[in-house]
Amino acid sequence: KYVNSPETPIFQKSKILYGFHKSKGAIREAGTAVLVEGQMDFLMSYQSGVQNVIATSGTALTADHLLALRRIAEKLLLCFDNDEAGQRAIERGIDLALAHDFSVGIIALSDKDPADIAKNDPALLAKLVAAPQSAREFYFDRYLPQAVTDPDARKKGARLILLKIKALQSPFEQSAWLRALSTATGVTEHVLHAEMERLEAPVGVRAPLSIA
């Protein structure tokens, strides 16, 4: 009933973070929130010792979720299912969180979801949380895989990454990403910057949230 209930004025999934009342203290102490997709992912992760964890309630990550988290955390770790749908959800989460000035990490999973890992090897989940992949590494692996040598494919991947860079709020971060992309592609930072400027910015990325 809880999982499948529709959005109502009383039960607002787009604003509710499952387990937040239990994990708020651990999130504040760590300065980091580990975001999972489902209620069982939360329960199994929390039980395994990862207590700075929260879950969305059957809906995608929203600006309202980030507003609640940004008051007590500066870093967001995304721990979603290890399938294509989960990878797309990670990408949406990265874009939204970076646009709202979070430091973002990704927890690479070998099993299908966090609940499976917590069940099979509780200590492993804590180790993965302690060594997240950066958002930049995630996008480079996703769009510039080493196995791809076709110039057109790599150009397309580089342009997709440039769109991500253009949406970053910090000029410092933009510069660091461009420098890394230049190294990965062999294209000068000047050319990459010029290409980025002419690309259309991603649709739907909003200005940073106020946390005052």
Side-chain angles (χ1 to χ4, degrees):
K1 181 77 171 79
Y2 182 90
V3 176
N4 296 323
S5 295
E7 183 97 352
T8 69
I10 296 176
F11 180 43
Q12 297 178 308
K13 291 184 179 184
S14 61
K15 296 184 179 180
I16 292 174
L17 289 164
Y18 183 81
F20 195 38
H21 69 293
K22 294 287 290 184
S23 60
K24 185 185 296 185
I27 292 172
R28 181 182 287 109
E29 182 177 348
T32 301
V34 179
L35 180 69
V36 296
E37 289 185 279
Q39 284 81 7
M40 285 306 299
D41 289 328
F42 167 84
L43 292 168
M44 293 298 293
S45 298
Y46 192 92
Q47 181 176 285
S48 75
V50 180
Q51 298 194 334
N52 57 323
V53 62
I54 33 82
T56 52
S57 297
T59 185
L61 181 67
T62 68
D64 286 321
H65 293 142
L66 291 174
L67 177 60
L69 289 172
R70 194 63 180 85
R71 297 179 187 279
I72 60 173
E74 295 183 353
K75 187 168 187 176
L76 183 67
L77 301 183
L78 303 173
C79 188
F80 292 169
D81 291 359
N82 185 25
D83 55 21
E84 183 56 30
Q87 296 300 293
R88 291 195 299 269
I90 286 174
E91 184 165 345
R92 290 192 298 270
I94 290 173
D95 292 348
L96 189 59
L98 286 178
H100 293 90
D101 204 28
F102 274 88
S103 173
V104 183
I106 297 88
I107 299 168
L109 303 180
S110 54
D111 288 324
K112 185 177 185 298
D113 58 38
D116 291 333
I117 293 179
K119 179 181 178 181
N120 297 328
D121 189 351
L124 175 59
L125 184 61
K127 290 179 182 178
L128 292 173
V129 168
Q133 183 184 43
S134 72
R136 187 171 70 203
E137 290 169 336
F138 173 84
Y139 279 134
F140 278 36
D141 288 349
R142 186 160 170 80
Y143 292 120
L144 289 175
Q146 295 301 313
V148 175
T149 57
D150 178 67
D152 289 337
R154 289 185 68 80
K155 181 169 68 174
K156 180 180 179 181
R159 283 175 171 167
L160 288 169
I161 294 172
L162 286 172
L163 285 172
K164 306 300 183 183
I165 296 173
K166 192 165 187 173
L168 294 173
Q169 294 299 308
S170 166
F172 178 84
E173 285 295 315
Q174 284 189 335
S175 178
W177 282 51
L178 284 171
R179 186 162 55 250
L181 185 58
S182 176
T183 300
T185 61
V187 180
T188 67
E189 291 180 53
H190 175 75
V191 170
L192 289 173
H193 189 275
E195 180 72 3
M196 181 182 73
E197 288 299 306
R198 76 175 194 83
L199 293 174
E200 286 189 25
V203 175
V205 175
R206 305 193 318 187
L209 294 169
S210 170
I211 59 173

